[in-house]
Amino acid sequence: MDQGKCKLCNMMGDEKCVCKKRIVFVMVIVVLFLAIYFGIVSAVKIYGDYTSPRALTITGTGEVYAVPDISTISFTARSSNESNDTQKLQSDIKVSVDNVVSKLKVLGIEDKDIKTTDYSVNPKYGSQACPGISSSIYPPIPCSTSKVVGYEASESVNIKVRDTANVGKVLAALADAKITEISGPNLEVDDINKIKDEARDKAILDAKEKAKSLSKSLGIEIEKIISYSDDSSNQGYSPMVYKSSMSDSVGVSAPNASIMSGEQKITSNISIVYQIR
């Protein structure tokens, strides 16, 4: 139908007369509407999947038992006097520590494994009797606690024992050297990071096996990992501190302590969030 007939039909009000331009215009409107509609629906679906995906959280645990292969022992040498001769104090401390170090070297402890962690020289304070008060009064009445009555020097040393079979011998050497302030031994695994990695790998494998079993039981499909987190920790123990009463006896060697290293448990806990459908 040509343009003249179309205009004529419109003027005559013939409902059967349809113009090509009007049909094309309506079709374009419909196509645009559908395109916008499906675009919005698709965008909403993608956004929903991204912000609120259907997820499954799985936890895994891995444990590794390791025998401690190193030990740390700390000791403090201390000396005090009632004079101002601090040089004498420091000299006494040096003699005491050097004596210990010489014994440690005989046991194969190297210089790199002997470390001073603290050294101090401090005044000692005490009270004095009030002037003008009869000396016959007992106990004397204190007037001040700020009077310096002497000095004290101390040095703290940390020892790393790489052969745990020597721990008892090291403790005995400290007792022979008249060292009474001893802390340890603390038994540890030297390459602890390697053991932690092994425990974490076991935890991840445990989580994967759980996810595979659950997906089969629930009838779901695992698509991908959304997030991962872990919280690893060490669970071990330290033997009791060795104390020797033999150190007060001059010329008597302290017996070797019996130290049982046992095992140290390293635990890894991980969490994996999977996207499912």
Side-chain angles (χ1 to χ4, degrees):
M1 184 179 297
D2 57 24
Q3 292 291 338
K5 291 184 177 180
C6 183
K7 291 180 180 179
L8 180 61
C9 290
N10 291 336
M11 293 174 62
M12 295 176 62
D14 190 351
E15 294 181 358
K16 294 182 180 181
C17 184
V18 180
C19 295
K20 290 182 180 180
K21 289 185 178 181
R22 185 172 298 173
I23 294 174
V24 172
F25 177 77
V26 172
M27 291 178 64
V28 170
I29 295 298
V30 172
V31 170
L32 289 175
F33 174 79
L34 293 175
I36 294 173
Y37 172 78
F38 286 112
I40 294 174
V41 170
S42 178
V44 170
K45 182 178 183 304
I46 293 173
Y47 178 78
D49 290 342
Y50 178 77
T51 56
S52 302
R54 290 185 293 176
L56 177 67
T57 302
I58 302 293
T59 59
T61 301
E63 295 180 349
V64 176
Y65 289 86
V67 177
D69 51 5
I70 62 170
S71 177
T72 56
I73 301 172
S74 299
F75 74 89
T76 299
R78 198 179 300 275
S79 180
S80 63
N81 60 31
E82 295 182 357
S83 68
N84 295 329
D85 190 356
T86 57
Q87 290 185 351
K88 176 65 166 58
L89 286 178
Q90 295 181 64
S91 177
D92 291 343
I93 291 294
K94 184 179 186 305
V95 170
S96 179
V97 172
D98 286 349
N99 183 30
V100 174
V101 171
S102 64
K103 294 178 182 296
L104 295 177
K105 289 186 176 180
V106 171
L107 297 175
I109 309 297
E110 300 180 13
D111 289 336
K112 66 178 182 179
D113 294 326
I114 305 172
K115 178 182 179 181
T116 296
T117 57
D118 182 72
Y119 190 95
S120 63
V121 178
N122 297 306
K124 296 172 62 178
Y125 296 94
S127 60
Q128 57 183 335
C130 293
I133 301 297
S134 174
S135 60
S136 62
I137 298 177
Y138 185 84
I141 302 173
C143 286
S144 172
T145 57
S146 61
K147 179 183 178 181
V148 176
V149 296
Y151 284 86
E152 180 182 68
S154 66
E155 181 176 359
S156 297
V157 179
N158 188 73
I159 310 164
K160 179 179 287 188
V161 184
R162 297 185 183 274
D163 183 358
T164 55
N166 283 335
V167 171
K169 297 178 182 179
V170 170
L171 293 172
L174 292 174
D176 285 340
K178 311 307 176 191
I179 301 297
T180 58
E181 295 183 45
I182 304 172
S183 177
N186 297 316
L187 298 173
E188 304 171 356
V189 178
D190 192 15
D191 192 359
I192 192 64
N193 290 329
K194 180 181 179 181
I195 305 301
K196 286 182 178 180
D197 290 343
E198 185 178 345
R200 185 196 60 215
D201 291 343
K202 284 190 174 184
I204 292 174
L205 180 60
D206 180 47
K208 286 183 177 180
E209 291 177 349
K210 288 179 180 178
K212 183 178 180 181
S213 176
L214 279 174
S215 64
K216 183 178 180 181
S217 299
L218 298 174
I220 58 177
E221 182 179 347
I222 294 177
E223 293 186 330
K224 61 181 179 181
I225 295 176
I226 298 176
S227 66
Y228 164 85
S229 62
D230 69 82
D231 180 18
S232 301
S233 62
N234 293 336
Q235 298 177 1
Y237 71 92
S238 297
M240 295 178 62
V241 175
Y242 172 77
K243 295 182 179 179
S244 173
S245 60
M246 300 290 290
S247 60
D248 295 331
S249 302
V250 178
V252 179
S253 297
N256 293 346
S258 297
I259 304 299
M260 278 66 72
S261 59
E263 287 185 325
Q264 188 172 11
K265 182 173 72 172
I266 291 85
T267 303
S268 177
N269 298 300
I270 64 99
S271 178
I272 301 177
V273 181
Y274 293 97
Q275 183 173 321
I276 62 174
R277 66 178 180 180

